[in-house]
Amino acid sequence: MWTAFGPTNVAIHKVATAGELGDFQVAADLGAQVDTSGLPVERRVRHDLETARALTARNRVDDALSVVLDAEELAPGQVRHHYMAREIVLGWVRGTRGRPSRSVADLAERLRVV
């Protein structure tokens, strides 16, 4: 009935908890396994951002960028204004020697973090 309660939501919380505890390998591994297609868009996007944060922490920026871009396609406004998306993308920009890739620069511009 369009609620996010259930086994999938529990799995999402496992990902978020692992990330909060700094166990980014577990968060990245679990995050990729969770099928959120049956959940409301807001929950799906939040999970994608948690997964992208874990992938970024594991230095898998290309994978994380793909996840964020997928989330942006689902809910551009939510991604644009979500603190986690903004922190992730700003970290990519600041952590890049020289200029960031075109896709990261474009995303940073859309999120207004540069």
Side-chain angles (χ1 to χ4, degrees):
M1 305 301 304
W2 287 103
T3 65
F5 184 77
T8 304
N9 198 46
V10 172
I12 287 173
H13 281 290
K14 285 181 184 179
V15 173
T17 301
E20 288 296 320
L21 294 173
D23 198 344
F24 296 113
Q25 184 63 53
V26 169
D29 290 346
L30 289 176
Q33 297 173 12
V34 179
D35 177 10
T36 60
S37 61
L39 296 179
V41 170
E42 295 81 10
R43 272 315 269 147
R44 295 170 65 185
V45 169
R46 175 61 190 249
H47 172 70
D48 286 345
L49 295 177
E50 292 282 359
T51 302
R53 180 175 69 161
L55 291 167
T56 298
R58 299 295 300 159
N59 202 29
R60 294 174 52 191
V61 175
D62 290 340
D63 294 334
L65 175 61
S66 177
V67 171
V68 172
L69 291 175
D70 289 346
E72 184 187 33
E73 191 173 308
L74 282 174
Q78 183 179 353
V79 171
R80 183 179 316 114
H81 297 291
H82 200 287
Y83 79 93
M84 192 180 305
R86 297 170 65 81
E87 286 179 1
I88 291 168
V89 175
L90 186 58
W92 295 339
V93 171
R94 288 181 175 165
T96 302
R97 291 186 182 161
R99 293 180 181 213
S101 69
R102 172 56 42 207
S103 54
V104 169
D106 289 347
L107 179 59
E109 189 174 314
R110 289 192 301 276
L111 271 55
R112 297 183 183 108
V113 296
V114 292

